[in-house]
Amino acid sequence: MLIAANWKAYVEDFATAKKLVEVSKKLSKETKHQIILGTPAPFIGAFAHKNTSSVAFASQDVSASIGGAVTGEVTAAAVAAAGATYTLIGHSERRAMGDTDAVVAEKLARALAHNLIPILCVGEKERDDDGRYLATIREELTSALDALTSRERTQIIIAYEPLWAIGKTAADNVIGANDLAEMALYIRKVLAELLPGKSSAKTVVLYGGSVEPGNIRALAGGSGIDGFLIGHASANVAMFTTLVRNLS
Ligand code: PGA
């Protein structure tokens, strides 16, 4: 399966980052799971430049700008030059800081223009009895892919991350395998409408939100997802090691 780590801003020192990178390389060889490390931007250059190892690197975001006089922005071109091959886009924590659907769409275009594979995060704030949360997911997917070519649409990874499930623990029983299976099916149905031919069958769909060593196996079994986007549990060496091994 694919395990994408989102270190967020949990990892702030070089020694911890180095340990997590080394452990991840070992784990990917040992378990054959594909591991992508979403590190804070400064660490990409330190670890990913000319990377030929068993792990890949992702940026946690890219700028919607194309460079130039935009102080402080980290562009897709710079992220790609530093050695990342993936980028998260539209994470709920970025959306909460102002990324609208339109901005998310621009960022997708920037990433694809520099051959970064986008991991597009979508997810509802809360569940309601009328199924309006399904419309939220449809809107997020549709507006994000709208301006892209058919070919570009086939290159995107989707991470389903319901906001109500982020930042809790496995003990909170955040989402059940059945609910997750239903959402994976729904996302694939929407993608089938947006992608050319039968190509949506090949889209990688991840789940994220309080995935920990204690629930990863149950969530993987029969839920129809292709992997996970892991937040807090990916920023701790012991927890991440157990989590990856528990999936095997
Ligand atoms: P969490 O974060 O695993 O800490 O819930 C997931 C995410 O926000 O990507």
Side-chain angles (χ1 to χ4, degrees), residues 11 16 22 26 29 54 67 72 75 81 84 94 102 108 111-112 138 143 151 158 177 210 213 222 244 247-248:
V11 181
T16 308
E22 280 165 6
K26 263 192 221 133
K29 283 192 201 133
S54 54
T75 61
R94 300 307 318 173
L108 277 180
L112 288 161
R138 175 180 286 276
S143 65
R151 195 172 161 272
I158 307 294
S210 303
V244 177
L247 186 57
S248 306

Side-chain angles (χ1 to χ4, degrees), residues 7-18 20 40 43 234-236:
W7 292 359
K8 308 194 181 190
Y10 290 124
V11 181
E12 297 176 283
D13 68 286
F14 193 78
T16 308
K18 193 161 183 263
L20 282 165
F43 294 136
S234 75
N236 174 293

Side-chain angles (χ1 to χ4, degrees), residues 6 8 91 93 161 165-168 209-211 229-232:
N6 176 11
K8 308 194 181 190
H91 189 281
E93 286 153 17
E161 295 209 311
I166 291 178
K168 306 219 165 79
S210 303
V211 181
L229 179 55
I230 319 276
H232 65 273

Side-chain angles (χ1 to χ4, degrees), residues 2 13 33 42 60 91 93 100 118 137 159 166 172 195 205-206:
L2 194 161
D13 68 286
H33 292 307
Q60 297 174 8
H91 189 281
E93 286 153 17
T100 58
I137 303 300
I166 291 178
D172 292 320
L195 269 60
V205 178
L206 310 177

